[in-house]
Amino acid sequence: MIAEHWDVVVVGGRIAGASTAWALAPYAGKILVVDASRPTTFWPQQSTWDRTGNLAWAELGLLDTVLACGAPRTYGDTYRVGDEVVERVYPLEDEYSYRMSVSREVLDPALLAAARGRGNVTVLRPAQVRDIVVDADGVRGVRLRHERVDRTVSCDLLVLADGRLSRNAVRVGAPAYRVVESPWFALLAYYENLPLATDRSYFSLQDRSVLICTPCGDKQWCVALDLHQSLIDEAGEHPARLFDRMVGDDPHVGPAVAAGRRTTSVGGAGRMRMLRRPMSGPGWCLVGDSGYHLDPVTAQGTRAALVTARILRDRIAAAGSVGDADLSGLTGERDAALEEDWAYTEQIVAPGPG
Ligand SMILES: Cc1cc2nc3c(=O)[nH]c(=O)nc-3n(C[C@H](O)[C@H](O)[C@H](O)COP(=O)(O)OP(=O)(O)OC[C@H]3O[C@@H](n4cnc5c(N)ncnc54)[C@H](O)[C@@H]3O)c2cc1C
């Protein structure tokens, strides 16, 4: 039996879900965010973005929240390709011309707190959506489990922000219509007290690997390493061990990590698939990785997630409220907005002949 009604139920409370709840709050009566993870879970997905990411945060009205996370802004980087090293300064286009990196353990709770601060957003965490309630007119609600109790809630709009492995996307009838298998394995770990500048990042593009080192908090750094699967196969080592060895061997980061300390395990993901699913249907909408997943190798996933949240927000804002919004045609709008990011990432993930 359906006992509770919400204007919007958001499944997933990280970058896409928390940002969407924040963005839709002025246009909805009550919003429920349901997230399956525990606040203490290490979430090995980096979040570094450039000026375009800052613009995307600003468009959602969340840049101040992100800046309050305390991560340093970087205004240039040391950029190594093979043995060639260039010291780059980012062009000063406007006030957003810097790169940032915020650990997910800091960023995601800050976004959820901002959403809660709207006053009409309730967060259940950890709680899991286990099924979707659908009738002939579309999605009607969800069945969820929270504190070992099963509940069924109804909603006017179900927003799926449950990540690239979303099972609920299949349940609402949103199959992937474009898929690119990725040969890249994305790994990362956090470190403290590295003797490195805090206003610069570091990139190293080598044969079948990309290493990114960014300051992400007070005396904290994120080191991310994307490895081509063929390199892992050749090395015959566990990816986490290969990570440690390659990071240690890097001429810039190696001496720094030897002087500092790794504060987390090495985590990440491999055998990923870039994918696109329809963005909306009767009673539902997909934001973030659940509907549009870019391989992490180009570090564009955060921006893409924010763009999808903004597209949904704009459509609802134009209608005045969630209940009055027509969500048809969002897929084309999203795909057009993110076409360059997709093409750039696909070219690295699955380069064409020549
Ligand atoms: C190793 C790695 C490195 C990356 N590096 C970068 C980078 O440097 N820059 C960048 O821009 N992007 C990067 N990305 C991509 C970026 O992390 C993602 O694009 C972004 O996190 C997507 O956010 P999301 O909110 O859509 O999904 P997620 O962060 O995956 O969050 C989904 C949430 O949904 C919850 N959930 C799932 N199922 C349910 C359910 N049934 N009920 C309730 N809750 C559920 C999960 O617990 C989770 O909390 C990286 C990704 C990886 C894997």
Side-chain angles (χ1 to χ4, degrees), residues 100-111:
M100 276 189 86
S101 186
V102 186
S103 89
R104 301 297 297 274
E105 286 64 38
V106 174
L107 177 65
D108 294 349
L111 296 174

Side-chain angles (χ1 to χ4, degrees), residues 192-227:
E192 65 180 11
N193 296 327
L194 302 190
L196 294 172
T198 54
D199 60 351
R200 301 185 68 69
S201 300
Y202 173 73
F203 290 78
S204 177
L205 281 57
Q206 302 298 325
D207 173 33
R208 295 175 292 165
S209 74
V210 178
L211 192 154
I212 306 176
C213 176
T214 46
C216 64
D218 184 30
K219 297 180 185 155
Q220 287 187 315
W221 276 261
C222 180
V223 178
L225 181 64
D226 287 279
L227 295 171

Side-chain angles (χ1 to χ4, degrees), residues 11-18 34-38 43-49 99 101 104 108 125 127-130 161-164 166-168 171 186-188 212 224 226 267-269 272 287-290 292-305:
V11 187
R14 291 188 181 269
I15 289 177
V34 185
D35 192 285
S37 62
R38 291 179 183 280
W43 199 247
Q45 300 193 177
Q46 197 198 1
S47 257
T48 181
W49 56 82
R99 172 174 287 281
S101 186
R104 301 297 297 274
D108 294 349
R125 186 186 191 204
Q128 192 184 26
V129 166
R130 299 166 75 90
D162 48 353
R164 64 191 169 86
S166 174
R167 287 190 182 164
N168 294 308
R171 291 179 181 136
L187 295 157
L188 68 91
I212 306 176
D226 287 279
M272 286 179 279
V287 293
D289 277 9
S290 67
Y292 200 98
H293 179 247
L294 292 167
D295 190 86
V297 71
T298 55
Q300 292 298 322
T302 302
R303 192 185 92 80

Side-chain angles (χ1 to χ4, degrees), residues 37-321:
S37 62
R38 291 179 183 280
T40 49
T41 307
F42 171 48
W43 199 247
Q45 300 193 177
Q46 197 198 1
S47 257
T48 181
W49 56 82
D50 57 14
R51 173 179 169 274
T52 60
N54 295 327
L55 283 167
W57 286 116
E59 279 173 352
L60 282 177
L62 279 167
L63 187 57
D64 287 344
T65 299
V66 173
L67 290 172
C69 290
R73 307 175 202 189
T74 60
Y75 294 92
D77 53 48
T78 301
Y79 196 81
R80 176 185 299 272
V81 180
D83 290 333
E84 296 269 313
V85 179
V86 181
E87 296 296 334
R88 305 193 306 181
V89 176
Y90 302 145
L92 188 60
E93 293 177 56
D94 50 34
E95 62 190 291
Y96 305 107
S97 304
Y98 53 89
R99 172 174 287 281
M100 276 189 86
S101 186
V102 186
S103 89
R104 301 297 297 274
E105 286 64 38
V106 174
L107 177 65
D108 294 349
L111 296 174
L112 270 183
R116 268 202 195 99
R118 292 288 208 182
N120 58 345
V121 176
T122 301
V123 179
L124 294 185
R125 186 186 191 204
Q128 192 184 26
V129 166
R130 299 166 75 90
D131 207 355
I132 311 279
V133 181
V134 186
D135 70 13
D137 293 325
V139 168
R140 290 288 168 218
V142 297
R143 283 187 252 284
L144 64 92
R145 176 167 289 183
H146 177 53
E147 294 176 343
R148 299 185 185 189
V149 177
D150 290 325
R151 291 153 64 172
T152 301
V153 303
S154 65
C155 57
D156 296 329
L157 175 64
L158 175 66
V159 176
L160 296 182
D162 48 353
R164 64 191 169 86
L165 301 175
S166 174
R167 287 190 182 164
N168 294 308
V170 179
R171 291 179 181 136
V172 299
Y177 60 85
R178 191 152 168 194
V179 173
V180 180
E181 305 286 341
S182 172
W184 290 92
F185 206 108
L187 295 157
L188 68 91
Y190 290 95
Y191 295 79
E192 65 180 11
N193 296 327
L194 302 190
L196 294 172
T198 54
D199 60 351
R200 301 185 68 69
S201 300
Y202 173 73
F203 290 78
S204 177
L205 281 57
Q206 302 298 325
D207 173 33
R208 295 175 292 165
S209 74
V210 178
L211 192 154
I212 306 176
C213 176
T214 46
C216 64
D218 184 30
K219 297 180 185 155
Q220 287 187 315
W221 276 261
C222 180
V223 178
L225 181 64
D226 287 279
L227 295 171
H228 198 278
Q229 186 66 46
S230 62
L231 195 61
I232 297 174
D233 295 343
E234 271 171 33
E237 267 177 285
H238 188 278
R241 231 168 276 137
L242 189 55
F243 174 98
D244 271 337
R245 185 163 64 75
M246 289 182 66
V247 169
D249 287 347
D250 183 88
H252 184 83
V253 178
V257 299
R261 191 174 78 91
R262 177 148 69 75
T263 55
T264 64
S265 55
V266 178
R271 303 201 187 282
M272 286 179 279
R273 304 184 322 155
M274 288 174 59
L275 63 80
R276 295 185 194 186
R277 294 191 174 101
M279 182 159 168
S280 58
W284 58 266
C285 185
L286 269 51
V287 293
D289 277 9
S290 67
Y292 200 98
H293 179 247
L294 292 167
D295 190 86
V297 71
T298 55
Q300 292 298 322
T302 302
R303 192 185 92 80
L306 300 176
V307 167
T308 59
R310 196 257 304 149
I311 288 172
L312 175 61
R313 189 272 318 266
D314 287 353
R315 183 65 71 89
I316 288 173
S321 72

